[in-house]
Amino acid sequence: MYGTTRPFPLYRDIEDPGEAPTEPIADLVLWPGDVLYVPRGVWHTVSADQGVRSLHVTCGLQTHTATDLMAWVSEQLLTHEDWRRDLPLLAAPDVQADAVDGMRKRLAELLDDPMLIARYRAAMDGQAVGRMVPSLPYIDGLPADSGLRVRLTTARAVLEVGEDVVTLSAAGSTFEFAPAAEAVLRPLVDGRTVDLATLADTAGLVLEDVVGLVQELVAGQAATVGSLL
């Protein structure tokens, strides 16, 4: 490992990181079963012992940067007309300055929110695609089978409970249900695998209502069902 020449480089960067350092800062030997974490931007080389076969798997970790946050913020600003309006590219300088000033004020309003990063994190969790598992053989609908077990396809679902509606964000979709659905969704969001009968008993709902809710989640690829989950 040779250290870094550009801290926190990006996949799409604006500057070349330069030449790699020539003097290593660490020389490590990995054995079967070892895991080595290499921070982003650290130059490194890998070689096997002479005459020895070696196989390793590299797993990249997706992080979030201020650039990602600002891209999400720009999407939130689309609710404002002045951020959807055409830019005054051919207007007089004072008109262009006024347009920029208006955009700056809208942007400042969002950036002043102390919960902005928390909101961004929740939004990203709700978009995280889960491990897709087909709910065979229940392609055309779920039977009212109390023994069928249910689990979400993602471990990063977000449940928001309001006065009149319960909102579940999971696998890139958003679902809205009546408040009574919270008791059905809560154990699923907590990562549990639960049978339909237990969900119905916990929520005080009839089995058919729970089946209808779960069917909606399955159709949105946010949940999977089966007898052996």
Side-chain angles (χ1 to χ4, degrees):
M1 299 177 66
Y2 293 88
T4 182
T5 53
R6 178 170 171 76
F8 310 113
L10 298 173
Y11 173 69
R12 295 181 178 178
D13 215 329
I14 61 173
E15 293 184 11
D16 188 283
E19 297 295 327
T22 57
E23 294 296 325
I25 61 174
D27 190 354
L28 309 173
V29 177
L30 301 182
W31 299 94
D34 284 351
V35 175
L36 175 64
Y37 170 67
V38 181
R40 175 160 50 110
V42 173
W43 292 90
H44 58 283
T45 59
V46 181
S47 63
D49 289 340
Q50 185 173 2
V52 176
R53 295 185 180 184
S54 177
L55 174 67
H56 74 278
V57 177
T58 300
C59 301
L61 303 178
Q62 181 178 355
T63 60
H64 298 268
T65 67
T67 301
D68 299 315
L69 174 64
M70 293 307 298
W72 177 77
V73 165
S74 68
E75 294 178 355
Q76 312 312 301
L77 287 167
L78 294 178
T79 58
H80 300 289
E81 179 181 332
D82 47 356
W83 273 75
R84 302 192 308 270
R85 186 180 295 118
D86 296 346
L87 285 175
L89 299 179
L90 303 179
D94 59 330
V95 175
Q96 294 181 351
D98 288 342
V100 172
D101 185 56
M103 289 184 286
R104 182 187 301 112
K105 291 178 180 178
R106 292 291 192 190
L107 179 59
E109 290 176 1
L110 270 180
L111 296 182
D112 283 341
D113 181 3
M115 298 300 295
L116 182 63
I117 292 181
R119 289 174 50 208
Y120 167 77
R121 183 183 62 189
M124 295 301 102
D125 283 346
Q127 295 177 17
V129 177
R131 181 181 178 184
M132 306 315 299
V133 179
S135 298
L136 297 174
Y138 312 109
I139 300 300
D140 297 327
L142 301 182
D145 182 348
S146 60
L148 279 181
R149 295 167 61 79
V150 186
R151 66 175 172 82
L152 296 185
T153 59
T154 174
R156 297 173 59 185
V158 179
L159 185 64
E160 298 179 354
V161 180
E163 293 184 3
D164 303 317
V165 66
V166 173
T167 303
L168 175 70
S169 299
S173 298
T174 300
F175 307 87
E176 292 187 349
F177 300 103
E182 179 187 359
V184 176
L185 298 172
R186 183 66 64 184
L188 300 177
V189 172
D190 290 342
R192 295 169 53 191
T193 301
V194 191
D195 60 67
L196 293 176
T198 300
L199 291 176
D201 291 341
T202 301
L205 299 173
V206 298
L207 183 62
E208 288 73 15
D209 289 341
V210 174
V211 169
L213 185 154
V214 172
Q215 175 64 59
E216 188 171 343
L217 298 181
V218 170
Q221 299 183 335
T224 184
V225 300
S227 57
L228 300 176
L229 290 180

